[in-house]
Amino acid sequence: MKERSVYSLSKEFDITPEEVAVAMAKTSRSPLSFRENAGEISAEKAAKFHDKYVMAYNHASVAELATVDVCLEGISMLAAKALEDNRLGSYIEASTRYQIWDADSWVTPPEIREDDELLASYKRSQYRLFQRYLKAMPIVQEKLREITPKPDEMSDSLYATNIKAKACDLLRGMLPAAATTNVGFVANARTMAHAVQKLLSSDLLEMRQMGAELKETALQSLPTLIKYASGNGYRIIHSKRMRDIAKELVAPHTLSLGARPGVNLQAFYDLRLLHVKILTNALYPHTNRSYGEIFWSLKNLSEDRIHDLWLELFIDRSAHDQTPRALEDATFTFDTIMDFGAWRDLQRHRMMTQFDQPLSIDLGYAIPDQIREFGLADYYADTIDHIPALYAHMSHDFGPMVAQYVVPMCYYKRSVMTMNLRQLHALVELRTKPGGHLAYRRIARQMYDAVQQRYPILVQHLRVSDVEMGDDLKRIKEVKS
């Protein structure tokens, strides 16, 4: 009888990620242990293996066994979001909450560097946004200290950190999409190749340059599995075709500067049948009957019995427990309007299907409530009043995709987010908690409210926070935790 053994090849052997992948892949056809397979592997043998089975035979799942980490620094917020659109990667990004951006923390889109007049206007815009952002920072921190005294039990350093975080939250909307950020990216070779392909197929030159640099860096660890990643002709042509069709069939709206953030739920279900489907999923692993047999057994139960069974799904669930997988059978589509900063936060929830429109000035922008209360609304508006003219100039000369760079994070954008009921629980429970940015907390709360109004029982046990209640002290303590 073989004894159980749990170990890490990369810790026991001085081998590359591609060699680890081969040693693991061989187990499907070799009786040898992983250790024995690893002992026979060399870089040359690994390259030949991947060329034959992954590249030639398209056994792409083998590429998922090799992982690599890449650090990207000094990329724009736009580029970071393009990278993070790859759902199967793992990311960490510089936070606009805990860091104050320097005056030179921005990029110039490569497309405009030869246009001297536009380049000069662009640079003036960046200088203005960052200088006024930095000038307002100590003013807002002082205002926050006036309305939020330090609790006796809080240290001076922690209090200062939390005041700074709150001020950064209130002023991040002044930062443009061109603001730089740093992103740590960990992925397997299959996801890395897909990320490279998407970036190399982008409309924007910064993304294509970043895609080439990402590939060059990943090749150092994955010399075989990444080498064929390139721009995808179908992706490029498809994107252009969809734009042309949209121009033909969907008339663009005029500026809607009175737009407000919110969500519009697109979901139409027979509530009882949905309950039965979810309960069928929950019971299926625990019986030997077919899906149809379980479904019809439940469908014939009384409303009260169905309701009681629904309650059983959530009994004893703690604050750290996920909801049951059975809830994934119900999906909801939210057509949202939110500021770019809030969208950046919610886009990180990748267990959903997202479609977003390019960042523009069309829907107007948000001024945080506390900025108004502090008497700084005019200052805030004056900081960005030049943006529409510059955006129009860049959009006319280089197109709306390039013009995104000048748009501050306070501007609204549209995004469609489709998620299942399980992900809705996770997103709302996390993103409505005190301590988060009020803009995305409100959007998350509106998602809950939209479902609750139409299907109240589905979210009966969702732990939602009241985002309009609670004082700043509570939020500061939440940051501390």
Side-chain angles (χ1 to χ4, degrees), residues 34-67:
F34 290 113
R35 286 190 176 98
E36 291 171 313
N37 285 332
E40 297 180 352
I41 297 298
S42 67
E44 182 180 359
K45 289 181 179 179
K48 290 181 178 179
F49 180 95
H50 289 307
D51 266 330
K52 179 178 180 179
Y53 291 101
V54 181
M55 303 306 173
Y57 295 167
N58 200 29
H59 293 327
S61 60
V62 175
E64 296 178 6
L65 300 173
T67 60

PDB file of all heavy atoms in Angstrom, residues 34-67:
ATOM      1  N   PHE A  34       5.753  11.996  -9.000  1.00  0.00           N
ATOM      2  CA  PHE A  34       6.120  13.334  -9.462  1.00  0.00           C
ATOM      3  C   PHE A  34       7.616  13.571  -9.249  1.00  0.00           C
ATOM      4  O   PHE A  34       8.287  14.176 -10.088  1.00  0.00           O
ATOM      5  CB  PHE A  34       5.317  14.400  -8.716  1.00  0.00           C
ATOM      6  CG  PHE A  34       3.857  14.427  -9.066  1.00  0.00           C
ATOM      7  CD1 PHE A  34       2.895  14.079  -8.128  1.00  0.00           C
ATOM      8  CD2 PHE A  34       3.441  14.819 -10.325  1.00  0.00           C
ATOM      9  CE1 PHE A  34       1.548  14.109  -8.444  1.00  0.00           C
ATOM     10  CE2 PHE A  34       2.097  14.850 -10.652  1.00  0.00           C
ATOM     11  CZ  PHE A  34       1.142  14.492  -9.713  1.00  0.00           C
ATOM     12  N   ARG A  35       8.137  13.109  -8.116  1.00  0.00           N
ATOM     13  CA  ARG A  35       9.564  13.281  -7.834  1.00  0.00           C
ATOM     14  C   ARG A  35      10.411  12.578  -8.896  1.00  0.00           C
ATOM     15  O   ARG A  35      11.406  13.112  -9.381  1.00  0.00           O
ATOM     16  CB  ARG A  35       9.903  12.728  -6.445  1.00  0.00           C
ATOM     17  CG  ARG A  35       9.437  13.592  -5.275  1.00  0.00           C
ATOM     18  CD  ARG A  35      10.037  13.073  -3.978  1.00  0.00           C
ATOM     19  NE  ARG A  35       9.700  13.905  -2.839  1.00  0.00           N
ATOM     20  CZ  ARG A  35       8.710  13.627  -1.987  1.00  0.00           C
ATOM     21  NH1 ARG A  35       7.965  12.542  -2.168  1.00  0.00           N
ATOM     22  NH2 ARG A  35       8.472  14.421  -0.959  1.00  0.00           N
ATOM     23  N   GLU A  36      10.032  11.355  -9.239  1.00  0.00           N
ATOM     24  CA  GLU A  36      10.792  10.611 -10.234  1.00  0.00           C
ATOM     25  C   GLU A  36      10.710  11.272 -11.606  1.00  0.00           C
ATOM     26  O   GLU A  36      11.699  11.347 -12.339  1.00  0.00           O
ATOM     27  CB  GLU A  36      10.277   9.172 -10.302  1.00  0.00           C
ATOM     28  CG  GLU A  36      10.607   8.357  -9.049  1.00  0.00           C
ATOM     29  CD  GLU A  36       9.905   7.015  -9.035  1.00  0.00           C
ATOM     30  OE1 GLU A  36       8.684   6.981  -9.311  1.00  0.00           O
ATOM     31  OE2 GLU A  36      10.576   6.009  -8.745  1.00  0.00           O
ATOM     32  N   ASN A  37       9.535  11.774 -11.947  1.00  0.00           N
ATOM     33  CA  ASN A  37       9.397  12.497 -13.212  1.00  0.00           C
ATOM     34  C   ASN A  37      10.258  13.754 -13.216  1.00  0.00           C
ATOM     35  O   ASN A  37      10.912  14.079 -14.214  1.00  0.00           O
ATOM     36  CB  ASN A  37       7.933  12.885 -13.450  1.00  0.00           C
ATOM     37  CG  ASN A  37       7.086  11.707 -13.884  1.00  0.00           C
ATOM     38  OD1 ASN A  37       7.594  10.762 -14.491  1.00  0.00           O
ATOM     39  ND2 ASN A  37       5.804  11.759 -13.569  1.00  0.00           N
ATOM     40  N   ALA A  38      10.253  14.463 -12.091  1.00  0.00           N
ATOM     41  CA  ALA A  38      11.040  15.699 -12.008  1.00  0.00           C
ATOM     42  C   ALA A  38      12.525  15.411 -12.148  1.00  0.00           C
ATOM     43  O   ALA A  38      13.277  16.206 -12.728  1.00  0.00           O
ATOM     44  CB  ALA A  38      10.759  16.417 -10.688  1.00  0.00           C
ATOM     45  N   GLY A  39      12.973  14.271 -11.635  1.00  0.00           N
ATOM     46  CA  GLY A  39      14.388  13.932 -11.710  1.00  0.00           C
ATOM     47  C   GLY A  39      14.870  13.658 -13.123  1.00  0.00           C
ATOM     48  O   GLY A  39      16.075  13.691 -13.384  1.00  0.00           O
ATOM     49  N   GLU A  40      13.957  13.371 -14.023  1.00  0.00           N
ATOM     50  CA  GLU A  40      14.328  13.075 -15.400  1.00  0.00           C
ATOM     51  C   GLU A  40      14.199  14.279 -16.328  1.00  0.00           C
ATOM     52  O   GLU A  40      14.517  14.190 -17.512  1.00  0.00           O
ATOM     53  CB  GLU A  40      13.441  11.939 -15.943  1.00  0.00           C
ATOM     54  CG  GLU A  40      13.596  10.619 -15.208  1.00  0.00           C
ATOM     55  CD  GLU A  40      12.695   9.550 -15.791  1.00  0.00           C
ATOM     56  OE1 GLU A  40      11.857   9.886 -16.656  1.00  0.00           O
ATOM     57  OE2 GLU A  40      12.830   8.382 -15.388  1.00  0.00           O
ATOM     58  N   ILE A  41      13.722  15.393 -15.788  1.00  0.00           N
ATOM     59  CA  ILE A  41      13.419  16.551 -16.626  1.00  0.00           C
ATOM     60  C   ILE A  41      14.620  17.492 -16.716  1.00  0.00           C
ATOM     61  O   ILE A  41      15.351  17.712 -15.743  1.00  0.00           O
ATOM     62  CB  ILE A  41      12.212  17.322 -16.052  1.00  0.00           C
ATOM     63  CG1 ILE A  41      10.970  16.442 -16.082  1.00  0.00           C
ATOM     64  CG2 ILE A  41      11.966  18.606 -16.820  1.00  0.00           C
ATOM     65  CD1 ILE A  41      10.544  16.020 -17.464  1.00  0.00           C
ATOM     66  N   SER A  42      14.812  18.046 -17.896  1.00  0.00           N
ATOM     67  CA  SER A  42      15.778  19.123 -18.100  1.00  0.00           C
ATOM     68  C   SER A  42      15.070  20.228 -18.861  1.00  0.00           C
ATOM     69  O   SER A  42      13.961  20.041 -19.383  1.00  0.00           O
ATOM     70  CB  SER A  42      16.978  18.629 -18.921  1.00  0.00           C
ATOM     71  OG  SER A  42      16.562  18.311 -20.248  1.00  0.00           O
ATOM     72  N   ALA A  43      15.701  21.387 -18.915  1.00  0.00           N
ATOM     73  CA  ALA A  43      15.089  22.510 -19.625  1.00  0.00           C
ATOM     74  C   ALA A  43      14.857  22.150 -21.095  1.00  0.00           C
ATOM     75  O   ALA A  43      13.821  22.493 -21.682  1.00  0.00           O
ATOM     76  CB  ALA A  43      15.972  23.742 -19.506  1.00  0.00           C
ATOM     77  N   GLU A  44      15.815  21.450 -21.693  1.00  0.00           N
ATOM     78  CA  GLU A  44      15.690  21.074 -23.102  1.00  0.00           C
ATOM     79  C   GLU A  44      14.540  20.096 -23.310  1.00  0.00           C
ATOM     80  O   GLU A  44      13.735  20.237 -24.247  1.00  0.00           O
ATOM     81  CB  GLU A  44      16.993  20.450 -23.590  1.00  0.00           C
ATOM     82  CG  GLU A  44      16.977  20.066 -25.065  1.00  0.00           C
ATOM     83  CD  GLU A  44      18.288  19.459 -25.525  1.00  0.00           C
ATOM     84  OE1 GLU A  44      19.217  19.353 -24.697  1.00  0.00           O
ATOM     85  OE2 GLU A  44      18.374  19.090 -26.708  1.00  0.00           O
ATOM     86  N   LYS A  45      14.444  19.104 -22.426  1.00  0.00           N
ATOM     87  CA  LYS A  45      13.366  18.126 -22.540  1.00  0.00           C
ATOM     88  C   LYS A  45      12.001  18.794 -22.315  1.00  0.00           C
ATOM     89  O   LYS A  45      11.020  18.466 -22.984  1.00  0.00           O
ATOM     90  CB  LYS A  45      13.558  17.001 -21.527  1.00  0.00           C
ATOM     91  CG  LYS A  45      14.707  16.060 -21.847  1.00  0.00           C
ATOM     92  CD  LYS A  45      14.801  14.957 -20.803  1.00  0.00           C
ATOM     93  CE  LYS A  45      15.929  13.983 -21.132  1.00  0.00           C
ATOM     94  NZ  LYS A  45      16.047  12.908 -20.102  1.00  0.00           N
ATOM     95  N   ALA A  46      11.952  19.737 -21.385  1.00  0.00           N
ATOM     96  CA  ALA A  46      10.703  20.435 -21.126  1.00  0.00           C
ATOM     97  C   ALA A  46      10.261  21.222 -22.350  1.00  0.00           C
ATOM     98  O   ALA A  46       9.079  21.238 -22.716  1.00  0.00           O
ATOM     99  CB  ALA A  46      10.857  21.368 -19.923  1.00  0.00           C
ATOM    100  N   ALA A  47      11.195  21.912 -22.998  1.00  0.00           N
ATOM    101  CA  ALA A  47      10.869  22.693 -24.191  1.00  0.00           C
ATOM    102  C   ALA A  47      10.318  21.790 -25.299  1.00  0.00           C
ATOM    103  O   ALA A  47       9.331  22.129 -25.963  1.00  0.00           O
ATOM    104  CB  ALA A  47      12.102  23.448 -24.678  1.00  0.00           C
ATOM    105  N   LYS A  48      10.961  20.635 -25.501  1.00  0.00           N
ATOM    106  CA  LYS A  48      10.490  19.700 -26.527  1.00  0.00           C
ATOM    107  C   LYS A  48       9.099  19.174 -26.195  1.00  0.00           C
ATOM    108  O   LYS A  48       8.246  19.024 -27.076  1.00  0.00           O
ATOM    109  CB  LYS A  48      11.476  18.539 -26.668  1.00  0.00           C
ATOM    110  CG  LYS A  48      12.802  18.930 -27.307  1.00  0.00           C
ATOM    111  CD  LYS A  48      13.722  17.714 -27.434  1.00  0.00           C
ATOM    112  CE  LYS A  48      15.034  18.103 -28.122  1.00  0.00           C
ATOM    113  NZ  LYS A  48      15.969  16.940 -28.243  1.00  0.00           N
ATOM    114  N   PHE A  49       8.865  18.888 -24.920  1.00  0.00           N
ATOM    115  CA  PHE A  49       7.561  18.390 -24.484  1.00  0.00           C
ATOM    116  C   PHE A  49       6.473  19.416 -24.782  1.00  0.00           C
ATOM    117  O   PHE A  49       5.424  19.096 -25.356  1.00  0.00           O
ATOM    118  CB  PHE A  49       7.596  18.070 -22.987  1.00  0.00           C
ATOM    119  CG  PHE A  49       6.282  17.556 -22.445  1.00  0.00           C
ATOM    120  CD1 PHE A  49       6.044  16.202 -22.347  1.00  0.00           C
ATOM    121  CD2 PHE A  49       5.302  18.441 -22.019  1.00  0.00           C
ATOM    122  CE1 PHE A  49       4.834  15.729 -21.830  1.00  0.00           C
ATOM    123  CE2 PHE A  49       4.092  17.983 -21.499  1.00  0.00           C
ATOM    124  CZ  PHE A  49       3.864  16.623 -21.411  1.00  0.00           C
ATOM    125  N   HIS A  50       6.714  20.663 -24.382  1.00  0.00           N
ATOM    126  CA  HIS A  50       5.702  21.704 -24.576  1.00  0.00           C
ATOM    127  C   HIS A  50       5.484  22.001 -26.053  1.00  0.00           C
ATOM    128  O   HIS A  50       4.362  22.238 -26.492  1.00  0.00           O
ATOM    129  CB  HIS A  50       6.109  22.969 -23.838  1.00  0.00           C
ATOM    130  CG  HIS A  50       6.013  22.850 -22.345  1.00  0.00           C
ATOM    131  ND1 HIS A  50       4.871  22.427 -21.701  1.00  0.00           N
ATOM    132  CD2 HIS A  50       6.935  23.087 -21.365  1.00  0.00           C
ATOM    133  CE1 HIS A  50       5.083  22.416 -20.394  1.00  0.00           C
ATOM    134  NE2 HIS A  50       6.320  22.812 -20.166  1.00  0.00           N
ATOM    135  N   ASP A  51       6.568  21.983 -26.838  1.00  0.00           N
ATOM    136  CA  ASP A  51       6.419  22.202 -28.278  1.00  0.00           C
ATOM    137  C   ASP A  51       5.532  21.126 -28.903  1.00  0.00           C
ATOM    138  O   ASP A  51       4.709  21.402 -29.776  1.00  0.00           O
ATOM    139  CB  ASP A  51       7.790  22.197 -28.963  1.00  0.00           C
ATOM    140  CG  ASP A  51       8.359  23.600 -29.108  1.00  0.00           C
ATOM    141  OD1 ASP A  51       7.557  24.551 -29.236  1.00  0.00           O
ATOM    142  OD2 ASP A  51       9.589  23.747 -29.084  1.00  0.00           O
ATOM    143  N   LYS A  52       5.689  19.889 -28.432  1.00  0.00           N
ATOM    144  CA  LYS A  52       4.948  18.774 -29.019  1.00  0.00           C
ATOM    145  C   LYS A  52       3.506  18.719 -28.529  1.00  0.00           C
ATOM    146  O   LYS A  52       2.567  18.692 -29.333  1.00  0.00           O
ATOM    147  CB  LYS A  52       5.655  17.462 -28.691  1.00  0.00           C
ATOM    148  CG  LYS A  52       4.935  16.228 -29.251  1.00  0.00           C
ATOM    149  CD  LYS A  52       5.714  14.956 -28.938  1.00  0.00           C
ATOM    150  CE  LYS A  52       5.006  13.731 -29.487  1.00  0.00           C
ATOM    151  NZ  LYS A  52       5.764  12.479 -29.204  1.00  0.00           N
ATOM    152  N   TYR A  53       3.315  18.740 -27.213  1.00  0.00           N
ATOM    153  CA  TYR A  53       1.982  18.483 -26.674  1.00  0.00           C
ATOM    154  C   TYR A  53       1.135  19.744 -26.506  1.00  0.00           C
ATOM    155  O   TYR A  53      -0.078  19.712 -26.730  1.00  0.00           O
ATOM    156  CB  TYR A  53       2.087  17.742 -25.341  1.00  0.00           C
ATOM    157  CG  TYR A  53       2.577  16.330 -25.503  1.00  0.00           C
ATOM    158  CD1 TYR A  53       3.895  16.006 -25.230  1.00  0.00           C
ATOM    159  CD2 TYR A  53       1.735  15.330 -25.962  1.00  0.00           C
ATOM    160  CE1 TYR A  53       4.367  14.706 -25.395  1.00  0.00           C
ATOM    161  CE2 TYR A  53       2.192  14.035 -26.136  1.00  0.00           C
ATOM    162  CZ  TYR A  53       3.504  13.722 -25.854  1.00  0.00           C
ATOM    163  OH  TYR A  53       3.961  12.443 -26.040  1.00  0.00           O
ATOM    164  N   VAL A  54       1.761  20.848 -26.099  1.00  0.00           N
ATOM    165  CA  VAL A  54       0.993  22.064 -25.866  1.00  0.00           C
ATOM    166  C   VAL A  54       0.805  22.840 -27.163  1.00  0.00           C
ATOM    167  O   VAL A  54      -0.303  23.229 -27.520  1.00  0.00           O
ATOM    168  CB  VAL A  54       1.675  22.957 -24.805  1.00  0.00           C
ATOM    169  CG1 VAL A  54       0.838  24.208 -24.557  1.00  0.00           C
ATOM    170  CG2 VAL A  54       1.839  22.177 -23.503  1.00  0.00           C
ATOM    171  N   MET A  55       1.893  23.046 -27.887  1.00  0.00           N
ATOM    172  CA  MET A  55       1.822  23.865 -29.089  1.00  0.00           C
ATOM    173  C   MET A  55       1.271  23.072 -30.292  1.00  0.00           C
ATOM    174  O   MET A  55       0.351  23.526 -30.963  1.00  0.00           O
ATOM    175  CB  MET A  55       3.212  24.429 -29.426  1.00  0.00           C
ATOM    176  CG  MET A  55       3.814  25.240 -28.291  1.00  0.00           C
ATOM    177  SD  MET A  55       2.706  26.559 -27.741  1.00  0.00           S
ATOM    178  CE  MET A  55       3.592  27.144 -26.295  1.00  0.00           C
ATOM    179  N   ALA A  56       1.810  21.912 -30.541  1.00  0.00           N
ATOM    180  CA  ALA A  56       1.394  21.155 -31.720  1.00  0.00           C
ATOM    181  C   ALA A  56       0.041  20.468 -31.521  1.00  0.00           C
ATOM    182  O   ALA A  56      -0.823  20.523 -32.397  1.00  0.00           O
ATOM    183  CB  ALA A  56       2.464  20.117 -32.073  1.00  0.00           C
ATOM    184  N   TYR A  57      -0.153  19.814 -30.362  1.00  0.00           N
ATOM    185  CA  TYR A  57      -1.388  19.080 -30.117  1.00  0.00           C
ATOM    186  C   TYR A  57      -2.460  19.909 -29.400  1.00  0.00           C
ATOM    187  O   TYR A  57      -3.570  19.439 -29.163  1.00  0.00           O
ATOM    188  CB  TYR A  57      -1.108  17.815 -29.294  1.00  0.00           C
ATOM    189  CG  TYR A  57      -0.253  16.787 -29.998  1.00  0.00           C
ATOM    190  CD1 TYR A  57       0.305  15.732 -29.294  1.00  0.00           C
ATOM    191  CD2 TYR A  57      -0.008  16.872 -31.367  1.00  0.00           C
ATOM    192  CE1 TYR A  57       1.085  14.781 -29.927  1.00  0.00           C
ATOM    193  CE2 TYR A  57       0.775  15.933 -32.007  1.00  0.00           C
ATOM    194  CZ  TYR A  57       1.322  14.888 -31.293  1.00  0.00           C
ATOM    195  OH  TYR A  57       2.096  13.946 -31.927  1.00  0.00           O
ATOM    196  N   ASN A  58      -2.111  21.140 -29.042  1.00  0.00           N
ATOM    197  CA  ASN A  58      -3.052  22.070 -28.400  1.00  0.00           C
ATOM    198  C   ASN A  58      -3.590  21.545 -27.071  1.00  0.00           C
ATOM    199  O   ASN A  58      -4.744  21.767 -26.729  1.00  0.00           O
ATOM    200  CB  ASN A  58      -4.222  22.402 -29.333  1.00  0.00           C
ATOM    201  CG  ASN A  58      -4.930  23.694 -28.929  1.00  0.00           C
ATOM    202  OD1 ASN A  58      -4.317  24.588 -28.358  1.00  0.00           O
ATOM    203  ND2 ASN A  58      -6.217  23.779 -29.213  1.00  0.00           N
ATOM    204  N   HIS A  59      -2.755  20.819 -26.315  1.00  0.00           N
ATOM    205  CA  HIS A  59      -3.147  20.404 -24.968  1.00  0.00           C
ATOM    206  C   HIS A  59      -2.870  21.572 -24.021  1.00  0.00           C
ATOM    207  O   HIS A  59      -1.951  21.539 -23.194  1.00  0.00           O
ATOM    208  CB  HIS A  59      -2.370  19.147 -24.537  1.00  0.00           C
ATOM    209  CG  HIS A  59      -2.717  17.930 -25.336  1.00  0.00           C
ATOM    210  ND1 HIS A  59      -3.975  17.712 -25.836  1.00  0.00           N
ATOM    211  CD2 HIS A  59      -1.961  16.866 -25.721  1.00  0.00           C
ATOM    212  CE1 HIS A  59      -3.993  16.554 -26.485  1.00  0.00           C
ATOM    213  NE2 HIS A  59      -2.781  16.029 -26.441  1.00  0.00           N
ATOM    214  N   ALA A  60      -3.677  22.621 -24.151  1.00  0.00           N
ATOM    215  CA  ALA A  60      -3.390  23.880 -23.447  1.00  0.00           C
ATOM    216  C   ALA A  60      -3.492  23.749 -21.941  1.00  0.00           C
ATOM    217  O   ALA A  60      -2.920  24.559 -21.211  1.00  0.00           O
ATOM    218  CB  ALA A  60      -4.331  24.978 -23.947  1.00  0.00           C
ATOM    219  N   SER A  61      -4.223  22.744 -21.457  1.00  0.00           N
ATOM    220  CA  SER A  61      -4.370  22.609 -20.010  1.00  0.00           C
ATOM    221  C   SER A  61      -3.027  22.375 -19.323  1.00  0.00           C
ATOM    222  O   SER A  61      -2.855  22.726 -18.157  1.00  0.00           O
ATOM    223  CB  SER A  61      -5.339  21.472 -19.678  1.00  0.00           C
ATOM    224  OG  SER A  61      -4.861  20.245 -20.208  1.00  0.00           O
ATOM    225  N   VAL A  62      -2.065  21.795 -20.057  1.00  0.00           N
ATOM    226  CA  VAL A  62      -0.733  21.586 -19.478  1.00  0.00           C
ATOM    227  C   VAL A  62      -0.097  22.919 -19.123  1.00  0.00           C
ATOM    228  O   VAL A  62       0.632  23.044 -18.131  1.00  0.00           O
ATOM    229  CB  VAL A  62       0.166  20.793 -20.453  1.00  0.00           C
ATOM    230  CG1 VAL A  62       1.586  20.668 -19.907  1.00  0.00           C
ATOM    231  CG2 VAL A  62      -0.422  19.409 -20.707  1.00  0.00           C
ATOM    232  N   ALA A  63      -0.378  23.943 -19.927  1.00  0.00           N
ATOM    233  CA  ALA A  63       0.190  25.272 -19.672  1.00  0.00           C
ATOM    234  C   ALA A  63      -0.307  25.870 -18.367  1.00  0.00           C
ATOM    235  O   ALA A  63       0.309  26.794 -17.831  1.00  0.00           O
ATOM    236  CB  ALA A  63      -0.131  26.211 -20.830  1.00  0.00           C
ATOM    237  N   GLU A  64      -1.415  25.359 -17.851  1.00  0.00           N
ATOM    238  CA  GLU A  64      -1.944  25.867 -16.584  1.00  0.00           C
ATOM    239  C   GLU A  64      -1.118  25.397 -15.396  1.00  0.00           C
ATOM    240  O   GLU A  64      -1.309  25.873 -14.273  1.00  0.00           O
ATOM    241  CB  GLU A  64      -3.402  25.449 -16.417  1.00  0.00           C
ATOM    242  CG  GLU A  64      -4.319  26.059 -17.471  1.00  0.00           C
ATOM    243  CD  GLU A  64      -5.753  25.602 -17.323  1.00  0.00           C
ATOM    244  OE1 GLU A  64      -6.055  24.901 -16.327  1.00  0.00           O
ATOM    245  OE2 GLU A  64      -6.569  25.957 -18.181  1.00  0.00           O
ATOM    246  N   LEU A  65      -0.203  24.447 -15.610  1.00  0.00           N
ATOM    247  CA  LEU A  65       0.600  23.910 -14.517  1.00  0.00           C
ATOM    248  C   LEU A  65       1.875  24.722 -14.280  1.00  0.00           C
ATOM    249  O   LEU A  65       2.574  24.499 -13.301  1.00  0.00           O
ATOM    250  CB  LEU A  65       0.974  22.452 -14.815  1.00  0.00           C
ATOM    251  CG  LEU A  65      -0.199  21.490 -14.994  1.00  0.00           C
ATOM    252  CD1 LEU A  65       0.302  20.123 -15.442  1.00  0.00           C
ATOM    253  CD2 LEU A  65      -1.003  21.371 -13.707  1.00  0.00           C
ATOM    254  N   ALA A  66       2.158  25.660 -15.187  1.00  0.00           N
ATOM    255  CA  ALA A  66       3.339  26.523 -15.039  1.00  0.00           C
ATOM    256  C   ALA A  66       2.874  27.937 -14.718  1.00  0.00           C
ATOM    257  O   ALA A  66       2.055  28.502 -15.436  1.00  0.00           O
ATOM    258  CB  ALA A  66       4.169  26.514 -16.321  1.00  0.00           C
ATOM    259  N   THR A  67       3.394  28.510 -13.643  1.00  0.00           N
ATOM    260  CA  THR A  67       2.975  29.852 -13.239  1.00  0.00           C
ATOM    261  C   THR A  67       4.161  30.811 -13.247  1.00  0.00           C
ATOM    262  O   THR A  67       5.320  30.392 -13.161  1.00  0.00           O
ATOM    263  CB  THR A  67       2.350  29.836 -11.838  1.00  0.00           C
ATOM    264  OG1 THR A  67       3.322  29.354 -10.892  1.00  0.00           O
ATOM    265  CG2 THR A  67       1.112  28.966 -11.794  1.00  0.00           C
TER     266      THR A  67
END
